[in-house]
Amino acid sequence: MRLSQLFTKTLRENPKDEESVNAKLLTRGGFISKVMAGVFEYMPLGLSVLNKINNIIREEINAIGGQEIFMSVFQNHGVWAMTDRWNEASGVMYQFKDNTGKDYGLAFTHEEPITVDASRYITSYKDLPKAVYQICNKFRNEPRAKSGLLRGREFMMKDLYSFHATQEDLDDYYEKVATVYMRILERVDVSAVRTFASGGMFSKYSDEFQVLAEVGEDTIYINEKENRAVNKEVYNDEVLSDLNWNKENLVEKRAIEVGNIFKLGTRFSEKLGLNYTDENGDKKPVIMASYGIGPARLMGTIVELHNDKNGIIWPESVAPFKVHLIVLDGKNKEGDKIYDDLKKSGVEVLYDDREDKSAGEKFADADLIGCPLRIVVSEKTLEKDSVEMKKRNEKDAKLAKISQLLDLLNR
Amino acid sequence: MRLSQLFTKTLRENPKDEESVNAKLLTRGGFISKVMAGVFEYMPLGLSVLNKINNIIREEINAIGGQEIFMSVFQNHGVWAMTDRWNEASGVMYQFKDNTGKDYGLAFTHEEPITVDASRYITSYKDLPKAVYQICNKFRNEPRAKSGLLRGREFMMKDLYSFHATQEDLDDYYEKVATVYMRILERVDVSAVRTFASGGMFSKYSDEFQVLAEVGEDTIYINEKENRAVNKEVYNDEVLSDLNWNKENLVEKRAIEVGNIFKLGTRFSEKLGLNYTDENGDKKPVIMASYGIGPARLMGTIVELHNDKNGIIWPESVAPFKVHLIVLDGKNKEGDKIYDDLKKSGVEVLYDDREDKSAGEKFADADLIGCPLRIVVSEKTLEKDSVEMKKRNEKDAKLAKISQLLDLLNR
């Protein structure tokens, strides 16, 4: 992509009403654009990052048999009334009537409709287990929404639902998902702690995936030896005794919850009639679990963890482009050639070909946007048939022969 | 994908409250699942088709310089009030207040927010032209929503917006998009007629892309010699004289509108302050156009055009899988081998490995789901080291040597 043609420009001013580092840097870099509190749009650079996060999630969830679907925002009042959640969740679920008096809810999660769907297709033990997931926007009536992508009123979620005949089968799959969640977080360069949390109305505990960060809204108590933690919301003597943990070995930290997985049991299948017939011909409710991870919140978390005073430092796995190529001294003809060669060999390049910007402005934009590798073509480097290469997370630049550039990058 | 593991099953019964062929076949085939009138979810097979349509659109729009973004469902009351459309569009736009009295609108189109975005990044003639698009769900308060994917309350749209310094530049790009729209429709095997329609509040005419079908809600008058048409809504003497068309040469037809493109002029840029500075330093409003094509409606249209009494007949470009492989007579070991070989060589295969289904049931499901090529492995075919191949849109099957299968498919 040529910066001269990119839809966005970097902005000088920080966004109003946003205090968080992620909102400031992502807005100034042209990754996101604000619509209202807690509601953001993804511009080309931002969508590129989001798609990379989503595709890592897809790869990992597909590998454990998840089948991708795409559900609706609009939720059916009648179905949510059957599980009592139309009323119970009315604080977080946007609900309204159209001009004929018909009720609409906006999805903040999808347990109800997926259970209805499953009841259309699952009838026998032979149909189990199953796992389906989607990546789509969710809506949540948040009183406060001032943390950029960390807490949105409209936000992207990956939600996975699994269906089982036995508790053992569910327990096995649940652990598989927990392992895969840790791998996803590792792949996007975010190190998380699996954390015991409230199971809400479903079960004793759920598991959260918490990323240590001062900006986080959660407080957790970490057992560093086991790399596990307990959320403050269930931090009490009963729970600690359950886990056989000693208070004195736990460290209190602030953290961002980027994922949460729940054993739902038969909470939804019983109310919505999702049953299967077992080997003996007996009808039983299907046992369910649900698993959420927030790609948008992850994107914000990555920025909170990976930045310096000049801008974002994207991990290579989710960077909008691998290379930020800058041409100086009007050497656009030479820059164009390198840009074309890199593109042809499959390297993702953001190319600053702008003729009306100074070297200083171009370097500042490269630091702000934060691609992993900066390559500069200038009169000085060309005299040595070279370009200057500098990693975003390192200080020193070095010269590299143009003839060896592709080899270096594909190493 | 193994049918034994697929989340969905084909259903015997037609959906209630749906009269259209597309809703019946897509529901029975397990492509879509209904949430409420005009609101559908995409199950794995349906999402596969939708993604293929979306990717064809992406390829074509990227090729004319469109940059993909992802905007929000929630719309800002203040911005829509500035263009007067908060009130003007209140019949089609879902609008509600949250529990603090804050207004929310759900996007049925995105001219307002994209104009605001553009004003953050476009200031000079050097920043023009630009074109951005997104593929996302839209919401429209439809009094009637009984045509399956043809008319939804929540539906997927591709919307493209372009920004220009001069009318000539806009006119050029508008024609490029019109050409690309015809190519997209050709690639998904839907033949459309470019149709003069009302320009609404924006300009004298807009252009619609109409697909001839009795189930369509539009009436158009076709000039067959020019392969152009006029929508009934602007079918009058003044318009015909404008076009220099003779009433007697026009043929009346029913049609489905799958795309619509508009010259917006400065309608939005003036009200929302999207200006650029020209070469002389003069400030001028940016000239805009918007272009919509509905991937979900296209999916429904394809089914309306391509089906027989047994099910769907997907064009190869959008079929959920290229091959529907069926194993009979318990020859699963042999079937598994062929399935693995096809997958390894990159052929998309839906594999009916179910052991509790009769040949008749399997053939009926293959016809209903509608993949382009059916391959059967049975005792009889294996005796000749062969499989039976039959195209979905042809009657006769033929034997093919297993050793030659990959060559035949990759031809």
Side-chain angles (χ1 to χ4, degrees), chain A residues 121-400:
Chain A
Y121 309 121
I122 294 174
T123 53
S124 152
Y125 70 95
K126 293 180 196 165
D127 301 325
L128 296 169
K130 287 280 158 59
V132 289
Y133 74 99
Q134 60 170 346
I135 300 176
C136 70
N137 273 6
K138 301 273 193 284
F139 299 81
R140 201 181 281 257
N141 198 343
E142 292 286 354
R144 298 181 318 111
K146 296 210 172 190
S147 311
L149 297 188
L150 298 186
R151 185 167 287 280
R153 295 196 166 115
E154 173 173 352
F155 54 96
M156 192 162 279
M157 274 292 285
K158 185 287 300 168
D159 42 330
L160 167 70
Y161 303 91
S162 72
F163 304 89
H164 308 269
T166 66
Q167 187 65 39
E168 297 69 46
D169 193 54
L170 180 145
D171 291 344
D172 279 356
Y173 194 75
Y174 186 89
E175 286 306 315
K176 264 192 204 170
V177 176
T179 305
V180 152
Y181 268 35
M182 293 299 280
R183 193 178 307 140
I184 289 167
L185 297 170
E186 217 172 86
R187 287 183 64 183
V188 303
D189 216 350
V190 152
S191 136
V193 186
R194 185 170 164 185
T195 301
F196 290 96
S198 159
M201 42 183 124
F202 312 127
S203 60
K204 189 157 186 186
Y205 301 119
S206 69
D207 284 272
E208 292 174 345
F209 296 82
Q210 294 277 3
V211 177
L212 301 189
E214 271 310 307
V215 69
E217 295 184 3
D218 285 33
T219 301
I220 64 172
Y221 296 87
I222 307 185
N223 179 332
E224 290 182 329
K225 223 168 69 188
E226 299 191 21
N227 194 32
R228 294 287 289 261
V230 169
N231 193 308
K232 190 177 187 177
E233 67 187 15
V234 293
Y235 180 70
N236 57 48
D237 291 339
E238 188 200 330
V239 169
L240 292 179
S241 135
D242 247 27
L243 303 175
N244 204 13
W245 284 8
N246 189 330
K247 248 185 192 171
E248 286 157 25
N249 300 333
L250 304 181
V251 186
E252 185 186 300
K253 293 274 186 186
R254 301 284 287 173
I256 303 167
E257 178 210 324
V258 294
N260 197 182
I261 65 180
F262 285 96
K263 294 182 182 178
L264 304 173
T266 58
R267 162 91 170 78
F268 295 93
S269 47
E270 282 188 32
K271 299 236 175 179
L272 293 168
L274 170 57
N275 300 302
Y276 72 98
T277 308
D278 71 7
E279 289 89 334
N280 306 317
D282 293 332
K283 208 164 137 181
K284 291 182 175 168
V286 171
I287 307 172
M288 292 171 57
S290 75
Y291 317 83
I293 197 166
R297 188 180 283 185
L298 256 186
M299 182 168 161
T301 302
I302 294 166
V303 175
E304 293 287 341
L305 298 184
H306 301 284
N307 69 77
D308 62 18
K309 68 180 196 315
N310 298 320
I312 304 170
I313 306 171
W314 290 111
E316 190 160 323
S317 59
V318 300
F321 294 87
K322 181 175 179 179
V323 169
H324 191 118
L325 175 66
I326 291 177
V327 63
L328 300 178
D329 311 321
K331 296 293 181 189
N332 285 62
K333 214 182 96 193
E334 292 82 353
D336 289 0
K337 170 86 172 63
I338 293 171
Y339 174 59
D340 289 339
D341 287 347
L342 289 176
K343 274 206 311 180
K344 260 181 225 155
S345 82
V347 179
E348 296 172 328
V349 193
L350 184 61
Y351 175 30
D352 194 344
D353 60 336
R354 296 174 298 176
E355 301 188 21
D356 57 349
K357 298 289 173 194
S358 69
E361 289 174 300
K362 289 187 172 188
F363 291 148
D365 278 352
D367 279 350
L368 176 57
I369 293 171
C371 298
L373 184 65
R374 189 185 78 188
I375 298 181
V376 179
V377 184
S378 68
E379 199 166 320
K380 212 176 67 186
T381 69
L382 288 172
E383 275 167 13
K384 299 183 180 167
D385 299 321
S386 295
V387 296
E388 186 203 83
M389 292 174 65
K390 187 185 101 53
K391 288 193 176 163
R392 176 66 181 85
N393 59 356
E394 292 179 0
K395 273 204 163 170
D396 297 327
K398 57 184 175 196
L399 284 183

Side-chain angles (χ1 to χ4, degrees), chain B residues 232-246:
Chain B
K232 191 176 187 176
E233 66 187 17
V234 294
Y235 180 72
N236 58 46
D237 290 339
E238 187 200 330
V239 168
L240 292 179
S241 135
D242 247 26
L243 303 175
N244 205 13
W245 284 8
N246 191 329

Side-chain angles (χ1 to χ4, degrees), chain B residues 283-399:
Chain B
K283 208 165 136 181
K284 290 181 175 169
V286 171
I287 307 173
M288 293 172 55
S290 74
Y291 318 83
I293 196 165
R297 188 181 283 185
L298 256 185
M299 182 169 159
T301 303
I302 293 166
V303 175
E304 293 286 340
L305 298 184
H306 300 284
N307 71 76
D308 63 17
K309 70 180 193 319
N310 298 320
I312 304 170
I313 306 171
W314 290 111
E316 191 161 324
S317 59
V318 300
F321 293 88
K322 181 174 177 180
V323 169
H324 191 117
L325 175 66
I326 290 176
V327 62
L328 300 178
D329 312 321
K331 296 294 180 189
N332 285 61
K333 215 182 94 191
E334 292 83 352
D336 288 359
K337 170 87 172 64
I338 293 171
Y339 174 58
D340 289 338
D341 287 347
L342 289 177
K343 272 208 308 181
K344 261 181 227 155
S345 82
V347 178
E348 296 173 327
V349 193
L350 184 62
Y351 175 29
D352 194 344
D353 59 338
R354 296 174 299 177
E355 301 189 19
D356 58 347
K357 298 290 173 193
S358 69
E361 288 172 300
K362 290 186 171 190
F363 291 149
D365 278 352
D367 279 350
L368 176 55
I369 293 171
C371 298
L373 183 65
R374 190 185 79 190
I375 298 181
V376 179
V377 184
S378 69
E379 198 166 320
K380 211 175 68 187
T381 69
L382 288 172
E383 275 167 13
K384 298 183 181 168
D385 299 319
S386 295
V387 296
E388 185 202 82
M389 293 174 65
K390 188 185 100 55
K391 290 194 174 162
R392 176 66 181 85
N393 60 357
E394 292 179 359
K395 275 206 162 169
D396 297 327
K398 58 185 173 196
L399 284 184

Side-chain angles (χ1 to χ4, degrees), chain B residues 20-22 144 147 150-151 209-220 231-232 252-258 297 300-301 304-305:
Chain B
S20 67
V21 170
N22 78 86
R144 300 183 317 110
S147 311
L150 299 186
R151 183 168 289 278
F209 296 81
Q210 294 277 1
V211 177
L212 302 189
E214 271 310 307
V215 70
E217 294 184 3
D218 284 34
T219 301
I220 63 173
N231 193 309
K232 191 176 187 176
E252 185 185 300
K253 292 273 185 188
R254 300 284 287 173
I256 303 167
E257 179 208 324
V258 294
R297 188 181 283 185
T301 303
E304 293 286 340
L305 298 184

Side-chain angles (χ1 to χ4, degrees), chain B residues 81-333:
Chain B
M82 285 170 78
T83 62
D84 306 322
R85 285 218 293 182
W86 184 267
N87 290 329
E88 280 171 18
S90 63
V92 292
M93 189 188 215
Y94 287 103
Q95 298 174 341
F96 66 94
K97 289 179 193 293
D98 71 9
N99 43 23
T100 69
K102 186 175 163 61
D103 281 301
Y104 291 80
L106 304 187
F108 67 97
T109 183
H110 280 91
E111 279 83 8
E112 276 78 358
I114 197 63
T115 307
V116 171
D117 292 330
S119 72
R120 290 173 183 158
Y121 309 120
I122 294 173
T123 53
S124 151
Y125 70 95
K126 291 179 196 166
D127 301 324
L128 295 168
K130 287 278 158 60
V132 288
Y133 73 99
Q134 61 171 347
I135 300 177
C136 71
N137 272 7
K138 300 271 193 286
F139 299 82
R140 200 180 280 257
N141 197 342
E142 291 286 354
R144 300 183 317 110
K146 297 210 173 191
S147 311
L149 297 188
L150 299 186
R151 183 168 289 278
R153 295 194 166 118
E154 174 173 353
F155 54 97
M156 191 161 280
M157 274 290 287
K158 185 287 300 169
D159 41 331
L160 167 70
Y161 304 90
S162 71
F163 304 89
H164 307 270
T166 66
Q167 187 66 39
E168 296 69 46
D169 192 53
L170 181 145
D171 290 345
D172 279 357
Y173 195 75
Y174 186 89
E175 285 306 314
K176 263 190 205 171
V177 176
T179 305
V180 153
Y181 268 35
M182 293 298 280
R183 193 178 310 142
I184 290 168
L185 297 171
E186 218 172 83
R187 286 183 65 183
V188 302
D189 216 350
V190 151
S191 135
V193 186
R194 185 170 166 185
T195 301
F196 290 96
S198 160
M201 39 184 126
F202 312 125
S203 61
K204 189 157 186 184
Y205 301 120
S206 68
D207 284 272
E208 291 174 345
F209 296 81
Q210 294 277 1
V211 177
L212 302 189
E214 271 310 307
V215 70
E217 294 184 3
D218 284 34
T219 301
I220 63 173
Y221 295 87
I222 308 184
N223 178 333
E224 290 182 327
K225 224 167 71 188
E226 299 189 23
N227 193 33
R228 293 288 289 261
V230 170
N231 193 309
K232 191 176 187 176
E233 66 187 17
V234 294
Y235 180 72
N236 58 46
D237 290 339
E238 187 200 330
V239 168
L240 292 179
S241 135
D242 247 26
L243 303 175
N244 205 13
W245 284 8
N246 191 329
K247 249 184 193 174
E248 285 158 26
N249 300 333
L250 303 181
V251 185
E252 185 185 300
K253 292 273 185 188
R254 300 284 287 173
I256 303 167
E257 179 208 324
V258 294
N260 198 182
I261 64 180
F262 285 97
K263 296 184 182 179
L264 304 173
T266 58
R267 163 90 169 77
F268 295 92
S269 48
E270 283 189 32
K271 300 236 175 178
L272 294 167
L274 170 57
N275 300 302
Y276 73 98
T277 309
D278 72 8
E279 288 89 333
N280 307 316
D282 295 332
K283 208 165 136 181
K284 290 181 175 169
V286 171
I287 307 173
M288 293 172 55
S290 74
Y291 318 83
I293 196 165
R297 188 181 283 185
L298 256 185
M299 182 169 159
T301 303
I302 293 166
V303 175
E304 293 286 340
L305 298 184
H306 300 284
N307 71 76
D308 63 17
K309 70 180 193 319
N310 298 320
I312 304 170
I313 306 171
W314 290 111
E316 191 161 324
S317 59
V318 300
F321 293 88
K322 181 174 177 180
V323 169
H324 191 117
L325 175 66
I326 290 176
V327 62
L328 300 178
D329 312 321
K331 296 294 180 189
N332 285 61
K333 215 182 94 191

